[in-house]
Amino acid sequence: MSSLALYRRYRPESFAEVIGQEHVTVPLQQALRNNRVNHAYLFSGPRGCGKTTSARILARCLNCEKGPTPTPCGTCESCRDLARNGPGSIDVIEIDAASHGGVDDARDLREKAFFGPARSRYKIYIIDEAHMVTSAGFNALLKVVEEPPEHLKFIFATTEPEKVIGTIRSRTHHYPFRLVPPGTLRDYLREVCRKENIPVEEGVLPLVVRAGAGSVRDSMSVMDQLLAGAGEEGVTYAMATSLLGYTDGALLDSVVEAFAAGDGAAAFEVVNRVIEGGHDPRRFVADLLERLRDLVILATVPDAAEKGLVDAPADVVERMQEQARSFGAAELSRAADLVNEGLTEMRGATSPRLQLELICARVLLPAAYGDERSVLARLDRLERGVNVSAGAGAPAMGYVPGPEAQGGAAPAVSIRCCATMCCGTTGRSTSTP
């Protein structure tokens, strides 16, 4: 038999196992302790964050022999039926509203709802994708949701609560679920990999968390794919970047260092490696923007990694800190703004490579622009002695070698004042050593 998907094997069976949703699970457990359970609930939030799973757990808590209880016993018949791999309970009915959301389905549900439960304490309807129920369907359910019999409970789960009509929403207790924080999700995935007894290289989990975008189910699906393809050495960073389509960190390091040094040849060589390597230019730009974002954070908050603002292995954070120090604040901010604008322009572009090369050129040539951020970027480079001119090997714009570099005294340099606030005379020439 084929093994169960990872997100099904590790589906929570109690509220204590649900991660990242304490603002929902704690009040629900307290309501069960106080025996103040409502007749209808509305669980809303992004996909894969635990809405349907929590609805099943609530059903277990309500129909447990020792219940209603915040912690199902796991041994009674109802708990076994509603367990992770259980056969299901005849008194807990899950309905997919995407295919059963019409008025006829609602009328059929209403007629069956008045029959009591066969073996359990309550008959519970879990209506998934509730936003797909039509207005006529909701109106047909309205009376039974408003005044249900004692044995009946409703749990609506939806990603779009605003599409549930107001008359239904007003009769439910609404619990909004949220995306799981990256740190919490990373720790959970690490524990899952430990239970699966498959080694995972440092740096892989942040990629999986990023691919899952806060969704536990999506992250578990990505992790399942990586574990399925793991060899004797486990899941390697190279394998993860290749399979998930992310840019190798070495390419990002190369292009960032080229930007910091004003080295156009190195930057365009990286662009060529991206194209020749078969990488998607749009994904490369998105990953570059993510890297620049991390550099901006590290430049502002040196201990960002300890505070959880940057999610990366220790060696990568150390390398990024060095890169952040090689930029000026205005220069780094300008580069991030230009890459962000370029990413927007790349949507639907017929030549992504050309767009990528233009982005690099804009970042490398602040002298070609007269806006404030470009002027500040040029000042940052002048302070660091980095070439801001277009020609390779040309001296830094405005940079005058010191006496030690010239082997003698510095020559006089003619300076023409630009305003009266310097010396009181407009256009006056002076000489300075």
Side-chain angles (χ1 to χ4, degrees):
M1 292 178 63
S2 61
S3 62
L4 236 59
L6 206 62
Y7 66 85
R8 292 181 62 189
R9 288 209 303 276
Y10 292 95
R11 172 170 271 165
E13 293 188 318
S14 67
F15 284 125
E17 296 177 11
V18 178
I19 63 169
Q21 308 296 340
E22 289 76 13
H23 64 288
V24 170
T25 57
V26 171
L28 281 176
Q29 287 177 290
Q30 193 59 44
L32 288 162
R33 290 190 192 96
N34 298 336
N35 197 21
R36 296 180 64 90
V37 180
N38 196 42
H39 64 275
Y41 288 90
L42 175 61
F43 292 167
S44 67
R47 70 177 190 275
C49 60
K51 300 184 296 297
T52 306
T53 297
S54 296
R56 293 175 182 174
I57 294 173
L58 181 57
R60 290 187 83 200
C61 293
L62 289 171
N63 283 338
C64 178
E65 277 186 4
K66 299 180 180 179
T69 172
T71 308
C73 68
T75 57
C76 67
E77 184 179 8
S78 175
C79 285
R80 291 198 306 271
D81 289 343
L82 295 173
R84 186 180 293 133
N85 298 320
S89 171
I90 193 173
D91 296 319
V92 178
I93 303 100
E94 290 192 37
I95 298 175
D96 180 15
S99 55
H100 297 83
V103 64
D104 293 334
D105 300 297
R107 286 171 180 165
D108 183 55
L109 184 155
R110 185 181 60 191
E111 291 170 3
K112 294 178 179 178
F114 286 95
F115 293 100
R119 293 179 299 184
S120 305
R121 184 178 294 106
Y122 296 106
K123 176 180 280 190
I124 302 170
Y125 282 95
I126 300 174
I127 302 177
D128 205 4
E129 305 296 336
H131 59 276
M132 299 294 288
V133 179
T134 63
S135 296
F138 273 129
N139 286 322
L141 282 176
L142 181 58
K143 194 62 179 176
V144 70
V145 172
E146 182 180 20
E147 298 177 2
E150 290 291 329
H151 63 265
L152 192 61
K153 303 288 183 184
F154 284 97
I155 306 175
F156 298 94
T158 177
T159 56
E160 302 177 50
E162 67 279 358
K163 291 188 178 180
V164 178
I165 63 175
T167 48
I168 291 288
R169 283 205 311 271
S170 65
R171 288 158 175 80
T172 65
H173 286 184
H174 183 193
Y175 286 91
F177 286 66
R178 303 169 185 163
L179 293 173
V180 179
T184 305
L185 192 51
R186 186 176 60 251
D187 294 340
Y188 179 71
L189 292 174
R190 185 179 291 111
E191 180 64 20
V192 168
C193 293
R194 188 190 63 78
K195 291 179 180 177
E196 291 292 308
N197 199 26
I198 297 178
V200 176
E201 207 171 85
E202 190 72 21
V204 170
L205 293 182
L207 295 180
V208 176
V209 170
R210 183 179 169 191
S215 167
V216 180
R217 185 178 61 230
D218 291 0
S219 299
M220 292 286 276
S221 295
V222 172
M223 195 74 249
D224 197 9
Q225 183 180 1
L226 293 176
L227 295 179
E232 294 181 358
E233 69 280 9
V235 182
T236 64
Y237 179 79
M239 169 193 171
T241 54
S242 175
L243 194 59
L244 299 180
Y246 287 119
T247 306
D248 193 336
L251 284 175
L252 295 175
D253 290 336
S254 298
V255 73
V256 168
E257 290 164 5
F259 286 165
D263 190 347
F268 288 112
E269 182 183 350
V270 173
V271 172
N272 187 62
R273 286 164 56 192
V274 168
I275 302 301
E276 292 298 324
H279 298 284
D280 181 7
R282 297 177 183 85
R283 172 55 68 87
F284 175 77
V285 174
D287 292 342
L288 176 58
L289 181 60
E290 185 79 14
R291 169 61 64 89
L292 291 172
R293 173 262 176 199
D294 290 343
L295 295 182
V296 170
I297 297 295
L298 286 170
T300 308
V301 187
D303 59 343
E306 289 78 5
K307 293 183 176 180
L309 300 177
V310 173
D311 185 16
D315 58 329
V316 176
V317 171
E318 185 178 351
R319 191 162 60 247
M320 287 195 297
Q321 285 174 335
E322 294 177 2
Q323 293 170 355
R325 286 192 291 267
S326 66
F327 283 92
E331 188 180 5
L332 190 55
S333 176
R334 174 181 177 272
D337 287 342
L338 289 175
V339 172
N340 183 44
E341 293 169 6
L343 180 60
T344 304
E345 293 173 1
M346 289 184 79
R347 293 171 183 166
T350 55
S351 179
R353 174 173 185 161
L354 177 59
Q355 293 290 333
L356 177 54
E357 290 171 338
L358 289 175
I359 291 171
C360 293
R362 291 168 186 159
V363 174
L364 289 165
L365 294 174
Y369 299 88
D371 57 294
E372 182 182 354
R373 65 183 183 182
S374 298
V375 172
L376 292 174
R378 290 164 65 186
L379 289 174
D380 281 343
R381 291 193 174 190
L382 287 172
E383 289 177 354
R384 294 186 291 113
V386 176
N387 182 15
V388 297
S389 63
M397 184 180 297
Y399 172 69
V400 180
E404 296 81 358
Q406 295 178 354
V413 179
S414 178
I415 301 176
R416 183 170 296 277
C417 296
C418 58
T420 56
M421 47 175 68
C422 293
C423 55
T425 306
T426 304
R428 171 181 166 184
S429 297
T430 184
S431 292
T432 181

